[in-house]
Amino acid sequence: MQYKPLIIANWKMNPQSLVEAKRLFGSVKKGLRNIKRTEVVICPPSVYLSDIKNQAAGIKLGSQNCFWEEKGAFTGEISAVMLKKIGCQYVIIGHSERREIFKETDEMINQKLKAVIKTGLKPILCIGETGEEKEQEKIVSVFKKQIKIALSGVAKSKISKSGFCIAYEPIWAIGSGEACGIDEAMSAKLLIQKILISFLGKSLTKKIPILYGGSVTSKNARDFIDEAGMNGLLIGGASLNSQEFIKIVKIVF
Ligand code: 13P
């Protein structure tokens, strides 16, 4: 199956002001005015979403996280329903920084995934191993556990319609300047697909885009798509530099 490459910018907790966020978004938008063959998604900090939404035109918006309940006494949280109403289409779930710093478990990620799908937003499920798990050759069991629990109790028909995708982000490659090797990324994709087939079957698995994230730059972006066969990229640091991000999107298609 041929996918439109999906290029997602995860701005994380940057930039520090709305003025800078609008400037960055405006510059990306200007540089990507005529890009039609790639789906570009920007995930800014949620406080900037509504302002950025007003200038979005063609670029999709995503959230870096959400809570699983729709409303109520959950101080500090934002629901999938709220994100949808503000104009988001995608939600990143289970990013390793959320797993590590905010102690999100696979079970919590499962609840978030269900909420995102129920709301009609597209979930981007992040999975990946630590450097230690890689050294100890635990990748298979790490992927299996992360995928199995995330998908538990989610009907196949719902996954199929949701636009669900998986982002493989090896934790050791995030922000380290040391991206995953192309062969490694290729085998990670095959492994993810094998695990997905065991839970969802072949035909549904074929429809699920697998993205790569971790120290992506304009120098290695194309290889992840062309050589490793990734269906898209999840970009952190390089997405904060508009010219570099534009370059990556242009290189990819
Ligand atoms: P970097 O591109 O900065 O390595 O971050 C990757 C990432 O965590 C995207 O979600």
Side-chain angles (χ1 to χ4, degrees):
M1 174 158 181
Q2 209 51 41
Y3 307 90
K4 201 172 174 181
L6 184 54
I7 309 295
I8 304 175
N10 177 7
W11 285 1
K12 307 192 180 183
M13 202 170 72
N14 300 290
Q16 286 184 71
S17 70
L18 177 60
V19 171
E20 289 170 275
K22 280 167 124 175
R23 196 183 302 134
L24 175 57
F25 189 83
S27 167
V28 168
K29 193 178 87 171
K30 197 167 158 216
L32 297 179
R33 217 177 292 135
N34 298 315
I35 303 293
K36 299 217 162 56
R37 283 180 287 164
T38 307
E39 174 106 333
V40 178
V41 182
I42 306 267
C43 304
S46 41
V47 285
Y48 301 148
L49 276 168
S50 55
D51 281 278
I52 285 178
K53 171 70 182 115
N54 295 330
Q55 9 165 350
I59 295 179
K60 307 280 176 3
L61 281 188
S63 172
Q64 300 171 15
N65 181 31
C66 77
F67 191 57
W68 56 79
E69 295 289 349
E70 289 185 6
K71 64 182 172 72
F74 304 103
T75 302
E77 293 297 330
I78 296 171
S79 74
V81 173
M82 292 169 181
L83 293 169
K84 180 152 192 197
K85 286 189 177 160
I86 219 161
C88 272
Q89 293 187 30
Y90 289 82
V91 184
I92 299 174
I93 300 171
H95 191 282
S96 60
E97 287 149 19
R98 302 243 22 120
R99 293 179 190 256
E100 267 179 47
I101 306 166
F102 302 99
K103 308 295 172 217
E104 276 189 19
T105 62
D106 289 310
E107 288 74 14
M108 289 157 83
I109 290 159
N110 171 248
Q111 296 206 60
K112 291 185 177 197
L113 182 70
K114 286 176 178 161
V116 169
I117 292 180
K118 185 176 166 209
T119 311
L121 294 168
K122 297 178 182 174
I124 304 151
L125 171 68
C126 297
I127 66 162
E129 79 288 357
T130 62
E132 200 182 341
E133 286 163 342
K134 183 187 170 200
E135 256 169 44
Q136 295 170 352
E137 299 184 357
K138 286 187 179 158
I139 293 186
V140 177
S141 60
V142 169
F143 283 15
K144 263 193 192 155
K145 178 171 172 280
Q146 290 177 340
I147 294 173
K148 185 180 174 192
I149 303 178
L151 294 181
S152 125
V154 187
K156 277 196 212 176
S157 57
K158 293 209 168 132
I159 295 175
S160 154
K161 279 184 245 150
S162 70
F164 171 76
C165 66
I166 289 195
Y168 169 52
E169 293 211 312
I171 296 167
W172 48 269
I174 296 177
S176 65
E178 188 201 331
C180 177
I182 298 304
D183 289 351
E184 271 176 292
M186 198 190 300
S187 16
K189 181 181 174 184
L190 291 175
L191 175 59
I192 292 166
Q193 286 179 319
K194 202 171 150 194
I195 296 167
L196 284 174
I197 287 172
S198 72
F199 295 122
L200 306 173
K202 247 188 194 164
S203 62
L204 177 48
T205 296
K206 269 198 227 158
K207 292 186 200 153
I208 298 176
I210 315 285
L211 321 183
Y212 170 77
S215 296
V216 172
T217 65
S218 57
K219 293 202 171 66
N220 58 26
R222 191 171 194 143
D223 289 346
F224 282 111
I225 305 290
D226 289 355
E227 308 291 325
M230 290 290 167
N231 309 112
L233 302 165
L234 179 53
I235 304 169
S239 72
L240 297 172
N241 176 331
S242 59
Q243 294 317 306
E244 175 71 353
F245 184 68
I246 292 163
K247 210 166 158 187
I248 293 173
V249 176
K250 289 189 171 169
I251 278 171
V252 158
F253 68 66

